[in-house]
Amino acid sequence: MKIKPTFKIREIAGECLIVNQGTFEVNMTKIISLNSSAKLLWESFCDKDFTVEQVAGKLVEVYGIDADMAQADASKWVEMLNEQNILE
């Protein structure tokens, strides 16, 4: 899977938000904010194909968390992106 290239993160009013550039159908009632972990994952995988296992590996590498917890967190992150139609 891969993050669609039209989606970018921007810092707005101190918040890290996902924006869909180049689209006129902007829904301003739906704002996606990223915490520091989600931002790290975005920056790590935004320009490449990745798997849930690779995302989990990144969480283990950076935060030193248990592999099962990393897998669960990675799955939630990917699920959120998928629900928002951000993944190809």
Side-chain angles (χ1 to χ4, degrees):
M1 71 193 92
K2 190 173 185 178
I3 295 172
K4 292 178 182 177
T6 57
F7 286 92
K8 306 292 182 196
I9 57 173
R10 297 287 181 254
E11 296 238 2
I12 301 171
E15 294 288 324
C16 183
L17 306 175
I18 297 174
V19 296
N20 190 1
Q21 295 183 324
T23 319
F24 293 108
E25 305 94 26
V26 176
N27 181 353
M28 295 306 286
T29 63
K30 184 198 277 186
I31 295 176
I32 303 165
S33 177
L34 300 178
N35 65 20
S36 60
S37 298
K39 181 181 176 188
L40 169 87
L41 294 175
W42 183 284
E43 290 171 342
S44 297
F45 297 104
C46 68
D47 293 327
K48 56 183 103 168
D49 287 316
F50 61 90
T51 64
V52 173
E53 290 75 22
Q54 289 170 313
V55 173
K58 187 68 169 180
L59 291 171
V60 170
E61 172 191 328
V62 173
Y63 297 106
I65 61 174
D66 174 79
D68 290 335
M69 179 183 282
Q71 185 70 29
D73 290 348
S75 293
K76 288 178 189 173
W77 183 73
V78 168
E79 183 180 318
M80 181 274 300
L81 295 178
N82 219 9
E83 287 174 356
Q84 301 304 319
N85 201 25
I86 293 172
L87 297 177
E88 291 183 332

